[in-house]
Amino acid sequence: MRGDYQQLVDEISAALAAPATLEDRDFGLIAFGAHEGDDDLVMDPVRTRSILQRRSTAAVRAWFEAFGIARAKTALRIPPDPAAGVFKGRICLPVRHRGIVHGYVWLLDDGHLTDLELGGGGTPPDPRIEQAMESAAGIGALLAAEARAGAEVGDLLRALLVSRPAERAAASAALRDGLRSAADAPLMVVAVTPWGVPETDHAPLPNLPGLLAACALPAANGPGDGADTAGPDPSAAAAPPHRATADTPSLAALVRLRSPSSWAAAHTVAEHLLRSPRAGGGLAPSGTEARTLPGAAGLGMPVRELSALPAAWQEALAAARAARAEPRLGPVAEWSTIGSYRLLTGLPPAEPDATVRPLLAPAHSELARTAEVFLDCAGQAGRAAQALGIHRQTLYYRLGRVEKLTGLDLDEGGDRLLLHMALKTARL
């Protein structure tokens, strides 16, 4: 099918005598047309980056989207914007099917397309534009078909991940039929949280090695309460627990590995998905400065049996939640490396312990951070003072205030454990 895209892109390039580039609606590269001649200027920085990195920058996307390309039904002319890195003008052909935009064809307007009539406003388009739009419609039909096929396997994956144990055998068999021979390879689940879901349709899967299926799931299907949560900034203290609504979705992606010990494909998929405009956007916890937190991704352990995918999904989502709570773990975290969060993400939601609750108030954020760093450093005062950038005597003074505020004795292992886990739980 990718060859069909290339053929249609080449048709557009030939019709308009300009190099064309096809991107999906998340600005991921699908295909690009070759150009004639030795004019290196035709390869402007945006097109070069799109081809080499397979994605446009956020500034470029924002500039293009400001012209209403997602709503356009006819070709649009977009001027250059050096501030966004767009040094050449573009003609955008929206790729639509049954009223839904699936992508965009971009043509560099290097001068000879300036007088080309695009249509609109009662003026008929140039016949070459009509021909190019027919090819774009063909691309839209292919992308829609690919999206439907991917959605079917994604629906099977979703059915398995949310299935009860008694339903798991049937759901596994259905997914095996959908995956065919790929079901016999080592598999890994990638979780991205949070994930914005289009309301009207499914998007085609990115063209990434090993990516077999993807589906959005409510975060409530994750470990413990599973609600998508946002942790504080590493430079801020743990804040009172803050949970998003239960229907905040996360993305589950199923990746085929070359071997159980080779996770490169899963990392590539996770990093690509995190660059999507649909990734991230969660709010910072209450009691901290208002801001938008980035998304995070988690990897579960590799599995051989499809029936093990639900457990792998919970591992992946737990790792993603941990990566959001502790930026040092992310933005892509593996289940095997998240330490105490393997336990904490599996616990049901609960109010903070009464002894620790006063410390979690915003007014005591500096004390909470001091205590957390001290406990992260295994109670070694020298390391903690260095990490905090304070004098050791200042550290002791703050820890004394923590003890007075909570009634805990930081010379006692049990009290240390209670405080440490309460602070980490507050991050979730």
Side-chain angles (χ1 to χ4, degrees):
M1 185 173 285
R2 295 286 158 172
D4 295 332
Y5 293 133
Q6 188 64 58
Q7 179 180 344
L8 290 166
V9 168
D10 289 342
E11 288 179 5
I12 295 173
S13 295
L16 297 174
T21 302
L22 171 63
E23 294 181 332
D24 62 29
R25 63 183 176 193
D26 286 339
F27 294 85
L29 180 68
I30 298 175
F32 60 92
H35 61 87
E36 301 293 335
D38 298 322
D39 183 7
D40 291 336
L41 292 177
V42 78
M43 290 295 289
D44 78 334
V46 172
R47 187 169 194 263
T48 301
R49 186 184 301 110
S50 178
I51 292 173
L52 295 180
Q53 300 182 5
R54 307 192 71 82
R55 182 161 296 276
S56 298
T57 67
V60 169
R61 295 197 301 266
W63 174 250
F64 290 153
E65 288 175 337
F67 289 87
I69 60 175
R71 301 181 300 276
K73 298 180 180 179
T74 59
L76 296 175
R77 183 172 275 112
I78 299 177
D81 178 28
V86 183
F87 294 100
K88 282 185 168 293
R90 296 290 197 281
I91 290 178
C92 174
L93 307 181
V95 174
R96 307 180 75 90
H97 182 72
R98 295 182 178 176
I100 296 172
V101 65
H102 288 272
Y104 311 100
V105 174
W106 302 99
L107 297 130
L108 284 174
D109 189 354
D110 58 356
H112 76 285
L113 299 179
T114 303
D115 298 327
L116 190 66
E117 182 57 57
L118 303 186
T123 305
D126 186 288
R128 291 171 293 171
I129 287 291
E130 289 185 319
Q131 180 181 346
M133 287 299 294
E134 288 179 4
S135 297
I139 293 173
L142 289 176
L143 285 173
E146 187 174 344
R148 287 193 298 271
E152 290 176 1
V153 181
D155 288 343
L156 294 173
L157 175 63
R158 181 187 295 107
L160 174 58
L161 296 185
V162 302
S163 63
R164 297 183 176 89
E167 305 166 342
R168 203 152 291 169
S172 298
L175 180 59
R176 176 173 291 278
D177 289 342
L179 294 175
R180 300 178 183 176
S181 60
D184 297 321
L187 302 172
M188 178 172 281
V189 179
V190 175
V192 180
T193 187
W195 185 261
V197 182
E199 298 178 357
T200 55
D201 69 316
H202 295 274
L205 291 176
N207 185 25
L208 298 173
L211 180 57
L212 301 175
C215 63
L217 289 166
N221 289 319
D225 70 329
D228 176 43
T229 55
D233 184 91
S235 63
H242 171 85
R243 287 181 167 82
T245 57
D247 60 352
T248 301
S250 299
L251 185 77
L254 184 62
V255 180
R256 178 180 57 212
L257 305 178
R258 295 182 62 183
S259 72
S261 60
S262 177
W263 297 11
H267 277 277
T268 298
V269 168
E271 291 162 4
H272 179 95
L273 293 172
L274 282 175
R275 291 194 293 269
S276 169
R278 295 176 192 155
L283 296 178
S286 57
T288 64
E289 181 182 355
R291 65 190 184 280
T292 298
L293 294 174
L299 310 183
M301 296 300 291
V303 300
R304 282 282 190 180
E305 300 295 330
L306 296 183
S307 59
L309 288 178
W313 158 244
Q314 295 202 13
E315 293 171 350
L317 186 55
R321 291 180 61 205
R324 296 199 84 205
E326 292 271 11
R328 65 180 176 81
L329 296 174
V332 180
E334 300 171 3
W335 164 255
S336 59
T337 65
I338 62 174
S340 61
Y341 286 108
R342 292 172 64 170
L343 172 66
L344 296 177
T345 53
L347 296 176
E351 291 296 320
D353 186 87
T355 58
V356 180
R357 196 175 299 141
L359 184 62
L360 300 179
H364 299 304
S365 60
E366 186 176 64
L367 294 181
R369 177 172 179 255
T370 298
E372 186 174 4
V373 172
F374 173 71
L375 295 169
D376 285 345
C377 292
Q380 298 180 26
R383 284 178 56 201
Q386 184 176 12
L388 290 164
I390 60 177
H391 193 275
R392 188 178 297 201
Q393 287 304 121
T394 303
L395 173 69
Y396 290 142
Y397 169 73
R398 291 183 184 177
L399 294 178
R401 290 186 61 196
V402 169
E403 290 182 323
K404 185 174 182 180
L405 190 65
T406 62
L408 298 174
D409 182 354
L410 294 185
D411 288 331
E412 293 293 330
D415 285 0
R416 284 191 182 188
L417 179 61
L418 172 61
L419 179 58
H420 206 185
M421 292 301 96
L423 292 171
K424 294 302 183 187
T425 301
R427 282 190 172 272
L428 288 171

